[in-house]
Amino acid sequence: MIVVPAARIAEMKARGWWGDVTLDDLFRRHVAAKPDAEALVDPFNAGDITGGEPERLTWRQTAEAVDRMAAVLVAHGVRKDQVVVCQLPNIAELSILYLACLRLGVIVSPAPVQYREHELAYIIEATDAVAAVTVDRIGKQAHGEMMVGLKGRCPTLRHVFVLGATCPAGALDLETLCDAVDGKAHKAAQKAAADARVTADDIFTICWTSGTEASPKGVPRSHNEWIIMGDGVVDAADLPQGARLLNPFPMVNMAGISTAFVGWLLLGGVLIQHQPFDLPVLLKQMRDETIDYTVAPPAVLNLLLQNEALLEGIDFKRLKSIGSGSAPLSEWMVRTFHEKFGVQIVNYFGSNEGASFPSAMKDLPLAADRAVLFPRFAEGFSWKCKLHDRVQTRLVDPDTEEEIHEAGRTGELRVKGGTVFSGYWRAPEINARAFDADGWFRTGDLFQYAGDRLQHLRFVGRLKDIVIRGGMNISSEEIENHLMAHPAVAEAAVVGAPDATLGERLAAFVVFRPGQSATMEEINAFLTGERHVAVYKQIERLHVIAALPRNPVGKILKRDLRQTLTAPEPA
């Protein structure tokens, strides 16, 4: 399925930004060139996550697993342009499923492992998904049973494939099916792949992001749209061919897929997976796997430098780059990693929609700059990072639509270019608001120009009403709607409370109905038990107030609520 307008495809290819190579083409090249080289490595603690044994697969073994997975999908009637929802942690089977689907032209819609019935049902119904793939359990949660329970609720969902030791009633045992694939099934899958005629402009994924709307928004991306993003990561971090990549980001959205999956296919190296984030596990992998690149939140990188004994045994002659982002970086951290260990910290700003700005040493050599500034991608400015001429930026006053040209004035970042998506999945009304009259995507992020030539961008806040908790975007409106469904709640407003580790945590300001009340624990039990929302969307600060502050026309003054969060958290 191709959703990008033909004129845009022609323009991107004429500029040389997009091509005709698919992600399957990249995969097949590595299988042919080095079939017995290592390719995929499970987290060594996979048994604690899913109950399965960790695997280490070569390119040949990965290719054989992809063939079997594709054969199973075809045998169960899954065809090109249909959608498969998957909810898998970072294990080898996630990459194998991606490769099988993209070969067949089947669209994958990955869901974070934290999602529950509420979010999963929405995704299945929004995409008319015909199948789902998950594990019988992830940690203590019975994901297989949960997904099977959605079959009756979602009429398009025909099959639920489950990995793991236990296959619940109503599901299909994916491992057993893959083991039983015969020559006839292989030939049928090969024919289905040939008939699909997949191009680099076909959709590979529909990922999900939250914004001001109450429901998640689907972001479709083609092979070309993923390859340009992954190429930008590889270039900014100066990664060599054959690099060993350690990935602690869930491979369900921009950060995980572009860095790990696409970067792995571009470099033909080794993809070492990690999930859920566990610092001792990550450090052991950094030591034992002899890696070339990984990513980590700013707070974790600060912690490592404050306890340098944790870094003993890591091969810093090989590990030369670490990616970070989602919050301003510490100049001390960026500088110290380079001076003591020879490691460049690459500061990334990005989004599922395709805003992508790497702040790398080749363009911002000073730690003080790289920690908080990003290159301004615009006419008249030239940078060494590959994306500099493939993305354009401008700042616009969100109230007047006047373009900003001076320092010190805050404006909304607008972007266009080869990395930017073409629109949300089946959402024409939202798309009409998401892009301005000249076709620039409204990021909802506020920046100012900086530098002696105004050559830099400095992030100053968000225009969108979202909370970013540990890299996950959470719609304030969505949580407010759930809160106001609680029988004791009359009004509610949700904002982000600053947090050194996660960036922000969910803070709820609640007005109770007369004579009613509830504790934070009771409200969270309602959110997960009655409303079936993801656990990470539970509120973490509860403020009971008599009335929400409003302006003369009744709009809630969330800036006033945020100001109260600078004070210590109440007991």
Side-chain angles (χ1 to χ4, degrees):
M1 180 185 298
I2 299 175
V3 299
V4 180
R8 173 170 163 78
I9 293 173
E11 178 191 358
M12 296 297 106
K13 292 186 175 181
R15 291 174 177 265
W17 298 350
W18 293 2
D20 296 313
V21 174
T22 68
L23 292 166
D24 189 44
D25 292 333
L26 296 176
F27 175 66
R28 290 177 183 272
R29 288 177 187 175
H30 300 311
V31 174
K34 44 188 171 185
D36 297 318
E38 194 169 58
L40 286 177
V41 178
D42 271 340
F44 68 81
N45 62 333
D48 298 332
I49 305 167
T50 66
E53 292 297 318
E55 295 184 292
R56 303 182 78 96
L57 302 179
T58 65
W59 286 96
R60 187 201 310 273
Q61 291 169 328
T62 303
E64 292 169 351
V66 171
D67 289 343
R68 292 192 294 269
M69 185 78 75
V72 169
L73 293 175
V74 170
H76 287 80
V78 181
R79 295 292 185 266
K80 185 176 189 290
D81 295 340
Q82 293 181 330
V83 175
V84 170
V85 168
C86 76
Q87 189 176 42
L88 295 171
N90 284 349
I91 55 177
E93 285 83 0
L94 180 56
S95 298
I96 291 164
L97 177 66
Y98 283 176
L99 289 163
C101 287
L102 63 87
R103 177 176 295 174
L104 298 171
V106 173
I107 302 166
V108 183
S109 189
V113 297
Q114 298 94 336
Y115 275 16
R116 296 296 182 259
E117 292 94 330
H118 173 75
E119 295 91 356
L120 291 170
Y122 177 83
I123 290 174
I124 293 167
E125 292 169 352
T127 60
D128 296 324
V130 299
V133 179
T134 190
V135 185
D136 65 333
R137 72 169 180 84
I138 304 175
K140 296 180 180 180
Q141 175 67 24
H143 284 258
E145 290 182 3
M146 178 175 66
M147 198 71 79
V148 169
L150 294 172
K151 285 178 67 177
R153 182 173 167 183
C154 305
T156 64
L157 187 64
R158 301 198 304 265
H159 303 299
V160 173
F161 299 96
V162 174
L163 291 161
T166 303
C167 183
L172 298 168
D173 187 325
L174 184 55
E175 185 174 355
T176 299
L177 290 171
C178 286
D179 288 343
V181 167
D182 58 16
K184 182 179 179 181
H186 274 302
K187 289 181 180 178
Q190 290 171 345
K191 183 179 186 303
D195 292 344
R197 301 177 183 272
V198 176
T199 74
D201 301 309
D202 277 291
I203 298 175
F204 162 37
T205 58
I206 301 173
C207 297
W208 297 88
T209 186
S210 294
T212 54
E213 288 77 21
S215 300
K217 302 187 294 293
V219 179
R221 294 191 75 83
S222 69
H223 296 239
N224 269 323
E225 289 171 312
W226 275 119
I227 288 172
I228 192 173
M229 294 296 297
D231 201 23
V233 172
V234 167
D235 172 75
D238 291 322
L239 298 180
Q241 285 293 312
R244 297 175 64 85
L245 311 175
L246 173 57
N247 173 45
F249 282 1
M251 217 163 68
V252 299
N253 54 26
M254 182 61 69
I257 297 177
S258 64
T259 298
F261 184 72
V262 181
W264 169 62
L265 292 177
L266 288 169
L267 296 170
V270 182
L271 176 54
I272 304 150
Q273 293 284 31
H274 175 101
Q275 193 179 345
F277 190 86
D278 184 304
L279 186 55
V281 172
L282 185 72
L283 289 169
K284 180 173 172 57
Q285 289 178 301
M286 291 174 72
R287 289 190 297 267
D288 295 352
E289 297 291 350
T290 317
I291 63 170
D292 294 284
Y293 182 71
T294 190
V295 291
V300 170
L301 296 177
N302 293 341
L303 175 66
L304 294 179
L305 287 185
Q306 292 161 359
N307 301 269
E308 287 190 22
L310 296 174
L311 298 171
E312 291 180 4
I314 296 174
D315 184 2
F316 286 111
K317 292 181 180 178
R318 182 156 186 169
L319 176 58
K320 291 296 185 183
S321 292
I322 298 175
S324 193
S326 77
L329 308 186
S330 158
E331 175 192 351
W332 163 80
M333 181 269 288
V334 174
R335 175 171 39 80
T336 304
F337 258 109
H338 186 246
E339 291 178 351
K340 282 198 171 186
F341 302 101
V343 173
Q344 77 148 329
I345 303 297
V346 184
N347 188 4
Y348 291 103
F349 175 85
S351 69
N352 273 315
E353 290 86 352
S356 181
F357 309 104
S359 189
M361 280 188 67
K362 65 178 73 177
D363 285 324
L364 284 86
L366 297 179
D369 291 341
R370 198 159 73 257
V372 296
L373 300 177
F374 298 91
R376 177 182 176 185
F377 293 163
E379 187 175 348
F381 300 99
S382 181
W383 306 94
K384 295 179 181 177
C385 279
K386 185 175 288 187
L387 292 181
H388 81 90
D389 63 347
R390 304 177 186 198
V391 181
Q392 296 171 278
T393 65
R394 66 175 182 169
L395 297 184
V396 174
D397 186 307
D399 295 320
T400 66
E401 288 295 302
E402 176 189 0
E403 184 166 0
I404 293 171
H405 299 284
E406 64 270 23
R409 184 177 170 189
T410 298
E412 182 188 20
L413 179 70
R414 307 276 174 93
V415 295
K416 65 166 46 175
T419 65
V420 181
F421 80 139
S422 296
Y424 295 109
W425 176 256
R426 295 178 178 175
E429 294 182 359
I430 296 176
N431 288 330
R433 301 192 300 269
F435 295 86
D436 67 21
D438 297 317
W440 295 76
F441 174 63
R442 306 173 188 264
T443 67
D445 296 298
L446 300 174
F447 281 79
Q448 292 180 354
Y449 292 131
D452 56 353
R453 297 183 295 113
L454 305 186
Q455 73 271 31
H456 296 139
L457 291 166
R458 183 194 305 275
F459 177 75
V460 297
R462 284 190 300 277
L463 181 64
K464 292 181 178 179
D465 192 10
I466 61 174
V467 177
I468 301 182
R469 183 191 186 277
M472 300 290 286
N473 286 9
I474 303 171
S475 165
S476 294
E477 182 183 347
E478 177 193 359
I479 307 306
E480 289 161 358
N481 288 344
H482 288 306
L483 289 174
M484 287 187 287
H486 191 285
V489 175
E491 292 185 300
V494 172
V495 298
D499 182 81
T501 302
L502 295 174
E504 290 181 315
R505 292 183 184 270
L506 283 168
F509 291 80
V510 170
V511 178
F512 286 124
R513 298 181 184 276
Q516 300 287 319
S517 67
T519 65
M520 186 165 73
E521 290 73 19
E522 290 169 338
I523 289 175
N524 282 331
F526 171 80
L527 291 176
T528 55
E530 298 293 328
R531 306 292 289 183
H532 302 292
V533 301
V535 174
Y536 73 90
K537 296 179 182 179
Q538 290 185 335
I539 60 174
E540 295 165 288
R541 292 180 64 165
L542 175 63
H543 300 260
V544 179
I545 55 179
L548 295 175
R550 297 179 183 274
N551 67 10
V553 297
K555 182 178 180 180
I556 298 173
L557 298 174
K558 289 196 171 183
R559 64 176 181 271
D560 292 353
L561 299 177
R562 292 187 183 96
Q563 288 174 358
T564 69
L565 297 176
T566 60
E569 182 175 352

